[in-house]
């Protein structure tokens, strides 16, 4: 008599409820706190010195390249950490970067970007994906192009989830060039919040706490939708629409 292998049936509704919880957690109290500390995105960016503001896109591209190599290399030496550990580490980095104002904040930028990417890779792994796979690498970088915590939609960016990336699309170089302008706005807000020495330590720690938490939650939603599309054999676009409907309730 042959053994019968029981395959656990996926409940799409329960999974979508779980992902909606992650989505809602991307916003919340931390977003309001950061807005109080720094004001709107536009006013924050105006606080930066002109040379820093004009060079922000290039600095972000460079930070992304460094983060790509450092994050992937560190996975061989340091295992993925629980989300709270990643958040604690980036919060400490942000506080340290804000001690000396913009100059130390710029030095801290690549390290924070690396930790953000590692946090996203950890979320991808928890959703069942291998961060070393080329397609997953691409998607991890793409998560950083989701609307930042100070965006007009208060942490929600459903349009991001409807865009699919395949290996026949852009190379990593073109992808980073496309992601950098949007991420530079997010990182520029962070730099501006850190612009006042000493006081910037509080703002920098708060900013990094919110950003790390935000991108971890968005990564869970992004990769969770990808996994559910495969496991439940439901078109990805339909799942995005069903998630969007949940967010309007």
């Amino acid at each position: 008599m042959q053994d019968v292998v029981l395959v656990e049936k996926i409940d799409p509704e329960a999974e979508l409820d779980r992902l909606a919880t992650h989505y809602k957690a991307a916003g919340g109290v931390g977003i309001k706190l950061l807005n109080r500390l720094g004001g709107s995105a536009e006013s924050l960016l105006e606080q930066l010195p002109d040379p820093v503001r004009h060079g922000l896109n290039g600095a972000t591209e460079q930070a992304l390249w460094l983060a790509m190599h450092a994050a992937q290399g560190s996975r061989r030496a340091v295992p993925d950490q629980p989300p709270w550990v990643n958040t604690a580490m980036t919060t400490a980095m942000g506080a340290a970067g804000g001690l000396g104002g913009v100059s130390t904040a710029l030095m801290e930028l690549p390290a924070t970007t690396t930790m953000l990417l590692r946090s996203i890779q950890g979320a991808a792994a928890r959703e069942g994906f291998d961060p070393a796979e080329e397609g997953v690498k691409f998607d991890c970088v793409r998560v950083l192009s989701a609307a930042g915590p100070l965006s007009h939609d208060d942490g929600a960016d459903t349009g991001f989830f409807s865009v699919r990336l395949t290996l026949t699309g852009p190379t990593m170089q073109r992808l980073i060039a496309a992601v950098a302008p949007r991420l530079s706005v997010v990182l520029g807000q962070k730099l501006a919040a850190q612009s006042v020495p000493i006081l910037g330590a509080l703002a920098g720690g708060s900013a990094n706490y919110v950003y790390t938490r935000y991108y971890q939650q968005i990564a869970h939603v992004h990769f969770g939708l990808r996994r559910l599309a495969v496991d439940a054999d439901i078109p990805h676009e339909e799942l995005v629409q069903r998630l969007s409907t949940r967010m309007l309730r």
Side-chain angles (χ1 to χ4, degrees):
M1 183 177 178
Q2 291 184 331
D3 293 334
V4 178
V5 178
L6 297 177
V7 178
E8 185 179 354
K9 188 177 180 181
I10 300 295
D11 183 350
E13 298 306 315
E15 270 299 288
L16 284 169
D17 286 340
R18 180 181 72 86
L19 296 177
T21 300
H22 279 297
Y23 200 168
K24 291 173 183 176
V29 177
I31 305 288
K32 294 182 176 67
L33 169 63
L34 195 55
N35 274 313
R36 276 197 220 103
L37 283 172
S40 69
E42 292 75 16
S43 65
L44 274 172
L45 291 174
E46 287 171 2
Q47 295 172 25
L48 289 172
D50 285 344
V52 175
R53 190 165 67 247
H54 294 150
L56 197 54
N57 192 62
T60 303
E61 274 202 49
Q62 184 178 24
L64 272 172
W65 277 114
L66 290 172
M68 273 294 303
H69 294 295
Q72 199 58 44
S74 69
R75 295 188 64 82
R76 292 189 286 269
V78 182
D80 287 323
Q81 301 298 312
W84 71 267
V85 173
N86 295 327
T87 304
M89 290 179 66
T90 52
T91 299
M93 287 178 182
L99 283 173
V102 173
S103 58
T104 54
L106 280 169
M107 293 172 62
E108 169 252 332
L109 197 62
T112 289
T113 307
T114 299
M115 279 303 302
L116 290 176
L117 194 54
R118 270 300 306 260
S119 297
I120 292 168
Q121 290 175 343
R126 284 188 287 277
E127 293 295 339
F129 290 88
D130 180 3
E133 290 182 3
E134 205 64 26
V136 179
K137 284 183 187 178
F138 270 57
D139 271 14
C140 285
V141 173
R142 282 189 61 248
V143 170
L144 288 171
S145 71
L150 294 185
S151 63
H152 69 279
D153 55 11
D154 197 32
D157 187 14
T158 51
F160 163 76
F161 300 111
S162 64
V163 180
R164 300 289 292 136
L165 181 74
T166 66
L167 290 180
T168 58
T171 63
M172 185 62 75
Q173 183 175 2
R174 288 176 59 195
L175 176 66
I176 286 179
V179 169
R182 191 163 191 182
L183 181 61
S184 69
V185 174
V186 174
L187 296 181
Q189 295 160 10
K190 186 180 98 71
L191 287 174
Q194 294 172 290
S195 61
V196 180
I198 308 302
L199 182 60
L202 172 62
S206 300
N208 277 20
Y209 171 84
V210 174
Y211 290 153
T212 305
R213 191 169 176 273
Y214 173 83
Y215 286 116
Q216 284 180 146
Q217 301 295 350
I218 291 295
H220 273 294
V221 179
H222 177 69
F223 288 103
L225 285 172
R226 279 190 56 182
R227 174 58 60 196
L228 183 57
V230 174
D231 291 347
D233 194 23
I234 298 174
H236 182 267
E237 293 74 14
E238 179 182 332
L239 292 174
V240 172
Q241 184 57 49
R242 286 162 68 172
L243 178 64
S244 298
T245 301
R246 273 171 166 72
M247 303 311 299
L248 295 175
R249 292 175 184 171

